[in-house]
Amino acid sequence: MSCALRPSACPGLLRIVQALDGGICRIKLDGGSISSSQAEAVAQAAESFASGAIEATNRANLQVRGIAGEQLELIDSLMAAGLGPRTAGGDDVRNVMLSPGAGIDRQMLFDTRSLAHRILSTLQSHRPFHDLSAKFAVQLDGGEALAMLEHPHDLWLSAFEQDGERRLAFGLAGCPPDMPSGSVALDDGHSLVVAVLELFLELARPEQTRMRHLLNECPVEDFMARLAERVPMQAVVDWQRGTGASALHIGAHPQIEADFVYVGAVPPLGRLDPVMLRGVAQLAREFGDGHLRFTPWQSLLLPNVRVADSAEVIRQLQWLGLICESGPPLSRMIACTGSTGCGKGLADTKGDALQLAALLQRHRHSLNVHLSGCSRSCAAAHIAPVTLLAVSPGQYDLYFREAGQPGFGALHARNLTIEAVSVLLDARLRSPLDA
């Protein structure tokens, strides 16, 4: 690949970014999907050329951490496994997020995978799109029950029915529960994405890297008027897209095909090791269709498992160290790398998360908690119900999500130890006001 890589703070497959614990390589997965043989290649690369730490990200990708001197060898091994972009310039822009249940979810209105493949192909082959930011992202929602709908995207598309026709609602700088800007026919979905991206690149100044930056200066109405000249659109009436059901990413759940389920499992705090990833890959080969799907909840699915095999799959996943039930606190907890791997981290968030999970387990509580080592919130693209923001080693400010509050939500208390956080959360959950 002869194309020169542009500077960026975001890791990619071809660009290793340094952290406190070594280099980071981010592997962007098409629709979150990876074959068993590719997963085994990631495990081998992490074991041979890095520390062995593998992370599931909140955009349904994978990261290998702790890379030292053998960067080219690691990249070559992943490219040979078919995990790289078609062109060097196309690596950064492979940012199309689907439901982990695309094509198998019983509630879906259409299978988004074919359209996603066309969009990803165009993003990589159309040279002007390589100028997009490495963070510029598109979400394609087929109406699935299992869907992450809280992560804001620069452009989102969501299937719905209007007057007996299935169409794609779409919006800018937001997520599907928002009121759409308009809608297009399913067959015009690809054309819409191309038109939006081309118009963005025409209007945005170099420093306006995200759609929200452009819309701060260019009113949505003006953007939409220009867009209507390029793609046939309609207004959306009575928009009702829900917020998704995140618990569906854990355990066995029926697919659209009779007698088949997908099985969801959570690696504790989103981190796998090579043994764990190899084991899951083997289970997908033996009991599924030979593919894994990673999710925006930093978890994974084994699709197309026969109902009769689901209990055995869950048993073996648990033996590997993954969580297959929504009850344990660790199944609902996310934490960034923290001070053990990131120079910006003010606390050992992963270690503190394990301590908090043990305390909450003792109280028999399970709630969605996000521990962030700094204000950048790398581990969560959405606002969690409870956020702990590190201020020093072992000390956190506590926030609760609250409608209308920016950032992490409403500040509840400052400079808390993990033990103090546990006591406050226990008291809040026991309060009759929260019953």
Side-chain angles (χ1 to χ4, degrees):
M1 296 204 174
S2 59
C3 179
L5 295 179
R6 58 183 172 176
S8 175
C10 286
L13 188 143
L14 304 178
R15 180 178 52 248
I16 309 297
V17 172
Q18 288 301 310
L20 200 61
D21 58 345
I24 304 173
C25 175
R26 182 170 297 160
I27 306 161
K28 295 189 175 180
L29 307 178
D30 291 356
S33 181
I34 184 172
S35 71
S36 289
S37 59
Q38 288 174 325
E40 289 165 345
V42 173
Q44 184 62 45
E47 192 171 63
S48 300
F49 309 121
S51 66
I54 305 163
E55 292 178 332
T57 77
N58 60 32
R59 297 288 181 182
N61 296 314
L62 287 175
Q63 290 184 166
V64 174
R65 299 191 68 95
I67 305 164
E70 298 178 292
Q71 295 187 5
L72 292 179
E73 291 85 348
L74 178 136
I75 291 170
D76 287 346
S77 70
L78 296 175
M79 290 291 293
L83 289 165
R86 297 182 182 179
T87 61
D91 191 26
D92 279 345
V93 295
R94 295 188 294 159
N95 302 323
V96 179
M97 193 169 82
L98 307 183
S99 160
I104 62 173
D105 192 295
R106 295 198 298 175
Q107 188 174 296
M108 68 179 184
L109 294 176
F110 85 111
D111 187 341
T112 58
R113 291 175 294 179
S114 177
L115 176 54
H117 178 77
R118 286 189 67 196
I119 294 169
L120 283 165
S121 179
T122 300
L123 284 168
Q124 294 180 81
S125 62
H126 188 48
R127 174 62 187 83
F129 289 163
H130 299 176
D131 291 333
L132 291 166
S133 162
K135 294 183 180 296
F136 197 99
V138 176
Q139 179 173 13
L140 182 55
D141 162 39
E144 299 89 353
L146 176 60
M148 167 54 80
L149 301 176
E150 293 187 285
H151 288 187
H153 283 71
D154 296 277
L155 168 64
W156 60 264
L157 301 90
S158 184
F160 77 114
E161 291 184 321
Q162 182 170 290
D163 299 328
E165 178 190 10
R166 290 182 178 179
R167 298 179 61 82
L168 286 167
F170 69 92
L172 309 172
C175 45
D178 299 338
M179 188 63 195
S181 299
S183 74
V184 296
L186 289 184
D187 289 343
D188 289 329
H190 178 264
S191 299
L192 172 74
V193 173
V194 170
V196 169
L197 301 190
E198 288 180 341
L199 185 55
F200 172 83
L201 289 171
E202 289 173 19
L203 297 177
R205 299 192 306 275
E207 66 272 19
Q208 294 173 324
T209 58
R210 305 296 301 275
M211 183 65 75
R212 66 177 184 272
H213 301 152
L214 174 62
L215 297 183
N216 285 337
E217 184 175 290
C218 172
V220 174
E221 294 78 11
D222 292 354
F223 190 97
M224 290 298 297
R226 293 172 181 252
L227 186 62
E229 298 172 357
R230 308 181 185 208
V231 184
M233 299 185 301
Q234 292 181 11
V236 179
V237 180
D238 297 328
W239 180 243
Q240 297 179 352
R241 184 55 163 113
T243 56
S246 62
L248 292 175
H249 73 281
I250 305 174
H253 298 277
Q255 294 183 183
I256 195 168
E257 306 93 340
D259 301 322
F260 283 89
V261 298
Y262 66 81
V263 179
V266 180
L269 302 176
R271 184 162 284 189
L272 305 96
D273 60 31
V275 172
M276 188 183 292
L277 186 55
R278 285 193 186 97
V280 175
Q282 180 57 36
L283 288 175
R285 184 181 287 117
E286 182 177 353
F287 294 103
D289 62 3
H291 286 79
L292 317 176
R293 299 187 184 191
F294 283 87
T295 84
W297 295 276
Q298 296 168 270
S299 63
L300 58 87
L301 306 184
L302 273 69
N304 297 308
V305 173
R306 292 192 176 276
V307 172
D309 294 327
S310 60
E312 177 62 15
V313 170
I314 288 173
R315 186 190 69 80
Q316 293 197 37
L317 286 168
Q318 292 174 329
W319 183 85
L320 287 167
L322 289 99
I323 304 165
C324 298
E325 299 176 347
S326 59
L330 271 181
S331 71
R332 299 171 178 267
M333 200 168 290
I334 53 177
C336 66
T337 300
S339 58
T340 61
C342 176
K344 295 183 183 297
L346 299 177
D348 176 9
T349 50
K350 289 199 182 293
D352 291 338
L354 292 174
Q355 181 187 0
L356 179 60
L359 292 169
L360 292 176
Q361 181 76 40
R362 190 173 69 191
H363 293 310
R364 299 184 179 180
H365 294 320
S366 183
L367 68 168
N368 296 319
V369 181
H370 166 216
L371 289 84
S372 187
C374 75
S375 60
R376 294 184 303 163
S377 187
C378 294
H382 65 288
I383 302 172
V386 179
T387 296
L388 300 178
L389 176 62
V391 293
S392 63
Q395 301 282 131
Y396 293 84
D397 289 347
L398 173 62
Y399 292 82
F400 293 120
R401 180 167 63 189
E402 190 170 297
Q405 287 280 353
F408 295 120
L411 177 62
H412 183 74
R414 292 187 181 276
N415 298 312
L416 299 176
T417 64
I418 290 297
E419 293 86 350
V421 169
S422 172
V423 171
L424 278 175
L425 293 180
D426 179 55
R428 184 178 178 89
L429 288 169
R430 290 176 182 273
S431 169
L433 294 176
D434 295 298

